[in-house]
C-alpha cells in the first residue's frame, strides 16, 4: 500500500485478496461509490462483501441495494490515500482486519456494502478465513448480474440522506418476536419485519435462530449500523 499510494501516486486503491472471485460489476461498483467515499467524511471504506450474504438471508433480486455499516467487512475493499496516511504508519503485523474494527481506527466511521456480495472467497486456508470457511464463507452468494451503478443516483448513501431514510424504513415495520418468526404466525409475505434485541445475549440468541452471524468485534455486531 505504501508503494501504491506513495510511489505510484494513486489516490485510492481496491484491495483484493488472492483467493477472491469477483462479480461482473465489481469495478462498476467501486467506480460509482468512489465519489461518495470521497465526499462523505463519515465513511472510510467501501466493501464488496456482505458477511450474511447467503441464499435465504438476502434478497437475491435486490442486486442494486447498498447499505452503510459500522462493521468493517473487508474481502474486497477500497480506501483513499488520505485514510492510508492516517492508518498506514501504525499498521499491525498481523490480524489487520480485527485491528481495523477497533474504535481507535474506525472512529465512528462507516463503510458501504452491498446486499449481494461482489466477491466470493475460495480460500480455505488463511489467517482469518480458515476458521470458518467450511461452515460459512463458502455459502456466500456472488452476484452474477451487471448493475449500472455509475448511471444511478447514489447520494442516498451520504449520511444525512441515508440516516433519515434508514430510520424511517426501520420504524415503519411491524415488530415481531423471535417465536412469531419461527412459527410463521401472521407474517407478511414480502414485507420487512423487525425483531428487537436488548443486549448482546439476546442478539446472539436471535442471530443463531435466524442463521446470521452472531459475533461482535469491538462491540459492533457483524454488518450492524
Amino acid at each position: 500500500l505504501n508503494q501504491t499510494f506513495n510511489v505510484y501516486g494513486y489516490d485510492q486503491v481496491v484491495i483484493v485478496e488472492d483467493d477472491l472471485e469477483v462479480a461482473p460489476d465489481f469495478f462498476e461498483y467501486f467506480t460509482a461509490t468512489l465519489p461518495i467515499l470521497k465526499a462523505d467524511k463519515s465513511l472510510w471504506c467501501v466493501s464488496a462483501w456482505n458477511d450474511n450474504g447467503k441464499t435465504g438471508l438476502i434478497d437475491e433480486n435486490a442486486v442494486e441495494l447498498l447499505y452503510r455499516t459500522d462493521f468493517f467487512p473487508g474481502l474486497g475493499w477500497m480506501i483513499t490515500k488520505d485514510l492510508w496516511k492516517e492508518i498506514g504508519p501504525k499498521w499491525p503485523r498481523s490480524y489487520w482486519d480485527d485491528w481495523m474494527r477497533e474504535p481507535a481506527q474506525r472512529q465512528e466511521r462507516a463503510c458501504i456494502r452491498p446486499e449481494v456480495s461482489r466477491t466470493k472467497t475460495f480460500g480455505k486456508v488463511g489467517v482469518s478465513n480458515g476458521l470458518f470457511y467450511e461452515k460459512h464463507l463458502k455459502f456466500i452468494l456472488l452476484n452474477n448480474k451487471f448493475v449500472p451503478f455509475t448511471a444511478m443516483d447514489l447520494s442516498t448513501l451520504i449520511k444525512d440522506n441515508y440516516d433519515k431514510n434508514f430510520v424511517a424504513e426501520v420504524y415503519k415495520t411491524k415488530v415481531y418476536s423471535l417465536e412469531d418468526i419461527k412459527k410463521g404466525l401472521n407474517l407478511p409475505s414480502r414485507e420487512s419485519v423487525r425483531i428487537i434485541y436488548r443486549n448482546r445475549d439476546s442478539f446472539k440468541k436471535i442471530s443463531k435462530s435466524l442463521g446470521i452471524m452472531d459475533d461482535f468485534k469491538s462491540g459492533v455486531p457483524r454488518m450492524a449500523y
Side-chain angles (χ1 to χ4, degrees):
L1 289 173
N2 278 328
Q3 187 81 359
T4 302
F5 285 123
N6 302 331
V7 177
Y8 296 138
Y10 288 101
D11 291 325
Q12 59 277 327
V13 63
V14 178
I15 301 159
V16 183
E17 292 89 334
D18 60 4
D19 59 357
L20 291 182
E21 181 181 356
V22 302
D25 57 356
F26 178 84
F27 294 106
E28 173 79 1
Y29 168 68
F30 283 110
T31 299
T33 52
L34 177 60
I36 305 298
L37 176 62
K38 287 188 170 182
D40 188 344
K41 299 306 179 184
S42 69
L43 291 169
W44 71 321
C45 84
V46 177
S47 173
W49 181 257
N50 177 2
D51 263 310
N52 289 313
K54 300 178 185 178
T55 298
L57 297 180
I58 56 173
D59 184 347
E60 296 180 29
N61 295 315
V63 292
E64 77 292 339
L65 188 56
L66 306 179
Y67 297 91
R68 293 172 65 105
T69 177
D70 294 322
F71 191 89
F72 171 72
L75 290 172
W77 47 291
M78 177 170 62
I79 59 171
T80 64
K81 187 175 186 176
D82 286 342
L83 181 66
W84 183 247
K85 287 178 182 177
E86 174 191 325
I87 65 176
K90 54 181 181 175
W91 191 258
R93 298 179 68 88
S94 60
Y95 299 103
W96 55 265
D97 47 356
D98 283 342
W99 176 83
M100 286 280 286
R101 293 163 183 149
E102 294 175 358
Q105 281 66 251
R106 189 171 73 82
Q107 297 181 21
E108 300 297 321
R109 292 173 290 193
C111 293
I112 296 171
R113 60 92 173 171
E115 170 79 354
V116 185
S117 290
R118 263 59 186 187
T119 56
K120 181 178 179 68
T121 180
F122 51 83
K124 259 188 177 182
V125 180
V127 172
S128 300
N129 293 353
L131 297 175
F132 55 96
Y133 175 84
E134 282 296 334
K135 68 176 184 178
H136 177 69
L137 293 176
K138 73 177 184 180
F139 299 109
I140 299 296
L141 182 72
L142 178 67
N143 175 57
N144 60 9
K145 301 171 185 174
F146 184 89
V147 176
F149 285 114
T150 55
M152 298 167 59
D153 178 10
L154 300 185
S155 63
T156 53
L157 292 167
I158 292 175
K159 182 174 174 58
D160 288 345
N161 300 333
Y162 186 89
D163 287 359
K164 180 180 178 180
N165 294 332
F166 180 74
V167 169
E169 188 70 23
V170 169
Y171 285 99
K172 78 177 184 182
T173 58
K174 187 175 179 180
V175 175
Y176 288 85
S177 69
L178 178 60
E179 289 68 31
D180 291 337
I181 300 295
K182 291 168 72 174
K183 293 176 182 177
L185 299 178
N186 300 317
L187 295 180
S189 59
R190 293 295 299 170
E191 295 179 17
S192 298
V193 299
R194 178 161 39 113
I195 303 178
I196 298 175
Y197 70 91
R198 305 294 181 185
N199 51 45
R200 182 185 293 246
D201 288 340
S202 68
F203 177 84
K204 282 182 168 290
K205 178 183 177 182
I206 292 167
S207 299
K208 285 181 178 178
S209 295
L210 297 178
I212 65 176
M213 297 193 73
D214 67 343
D215 60 332
F216 287 66
K217 298 289 185 179
S218 297
V220 181
R222 240 172 237 272
M223 297 293 97
Y225 184 68

